[in-house]
Amino acid sequence: QKEVEQNSGPLSVPEGAIASLNCTYSDRGSQSFFWYRQYSGKSPELIMSIYSNGDKEDGRFTAQLNKASQYVSLLIRDSQPSDSATYLCAVNVQGAQKLVFGQGTRLTINP
Amino acid sequence: DGGITQSPKYLFRKEGQNVTLSCEQNLNHDAMYWYRQDPGQGLRLIYYSQIVNDFQKGDIAEGYSVSREKKESFPLTVTSAQKNPTAFYLCASTRALGRNEQFFGPGTRLTVL
């Protein structure tokens, strides 16, 4: 079983709609959860971090964490073509100063 | 202007040659990391370092070596023992021990001919 799992996609969403990206993880001791956006040929950019159960909103982005079910999600409201990218979920490894990354979900926003 | 720099952006090498990738940061970050990314894949950890003169193997350390002689610098050497070195190499750093947000450099794309 992979430690961090994401649907690789591609996920296609019309412009203006809500894009929903999901991630599950296996380490129950994980405390820190991150979403990165990666444009083709570029390096990942941190867009959201979440540490406690519930929702965290930042502009058009909302991260949701449910530790009991071991999933974290990212919602993008009013999707724009510029949101088209691969989104990577990352989770800390308990007791170590490192992250485990999912394989990423490729998101395409259609004008 | 603070940030993480990696050089070169593109690197071509012949099979059997060692090559060293540079990573420098002026953010005063404590921990530094090297990842490898293959097409359509996530990031796989090669090595990481939490303090100067100390580093730990990641999940795919075989065929790679690192050093951390200065806080600002964490070079990665891809040796001839690495069976399939062609990949996108990413360096990252973390502000302080106990904090897990990682920030990435622009990456080096290595092609072995």
Side-chain angles (χ1 to χ4, degrees):
Chain A
Q1 182 188 3
K2 291 183 182 175
E3 295 180 47
V4 178
E5 292 205 50
Q6 297 180 251
N7 187 327
S8 61
L11 175 64
S12 187
V13 172
E15 184 176 357
I18 296 175
S20 177
L21 304 160
N22 299 311
C23 171
T24 58
Y25 61 95
S26 59
D27 184 355
R28 283 200 170 273
S30 295
Q31 298 294 325
S32 308
F33 306 86
F34 307 95
W35 284 99
Y36 288 82
R37 178 176 63 199
Q38 186 176 25
Y39 292 115
S40 180
K42 302 295 185 183
S43 61
E45 173 193 8
L46 179 64
I47 55 171
M48 288 290 285
S49 57
I50 187 166
Y51 302 96
S52 53
N53 279 329
D55 295 359
K56 179 182 177 183
E57 188 174 317
D58 183 1
R60 295 187 296 111
F61 298 101
T62 298
Q64 299 176 318
L65 175 61
N66 184 322
K67 289 185 180 179
S69 301
Q70 294 177 252
Y71 83 77
V72 57
S73 61
L74 179 70
L75 302 178
I76 306 174
R77 289 183 301 282
D78 187 23
S79 296
Q80 303 297 310
S82 60
D83 295 325
S84 298
T86 296
Y87 289 80
L88 299 167
C89 172
V91 177
N92 81 295
V93 175
Q94 185 185 18
Q97 183 83 15
K98 59 181 181 178
L99 301 177
V100 176
F101 285 80
Q103 69 179 64
T105 297
R106 188 156 58 93
L107 173 66
T108 299
I109 307 300
N110 300 307
Chain B
D1 193 20
I4 305 170
T5 58
Q6 291 186 244
S7 61
K9 186 173 182 180
Y10 298 98
L11 188 55
F12 297 88
R13 278 294 181 266
K14 291 183 179 179
E15 195 172 329
Q17 288 182 333
N18 292 356
V19 61
T20 297
L21 281 55
S22 169
C23 177
E24 305 275 334
Q25 54 97 359
N26 60 3
L27 302 167
N28 199 33
H29 284 184
D30 289 314
M32 297 184 73
Y33 305 79
W34 274 106
Y35 293 91
R36 169 185 173 133
Q37 187 175 37
D38 294 284
Q41 302 295 313
L43 308 182
R44 292 187 290 168
L45 182 64
I46 304 172
Y47 269 99
Y48 65 108
S49 168
Q50 299 180 70
I51 55 173
V52 174
N53 292 322
D54 189 37
F55 47 82
Q56 289 78 40
K57 291 183 179 180
D59 301 316
I60 55 165
E62 185 175 349
Y64 300 97
S65 66
V66 293
S67 63
R68 186 90 186 274
E69 297 177 1
K70 299 185 300 182
K71 188 175 183 178
E72 305 79 28
S73 178
F74 191 40
L76 173 74
T77 297
V78 184
T79 75
S80 56
Q82 169 48 234
K83 301 255 186 290
N84 186 17
T86 294
F88 189 37
Y89 289 88
L90 290 156
C91 178
S93 66
T94 299
R95 197 175 315 168
L97 298 181
R99 299 292 299 269
N100 287 300
E101 307 98 331
Q102 293 184 14
F103 301 91
F104 286 84
T108 292
R109 197 165 297 277
L110 173 64
T111 302
V112 176
L113 306 171

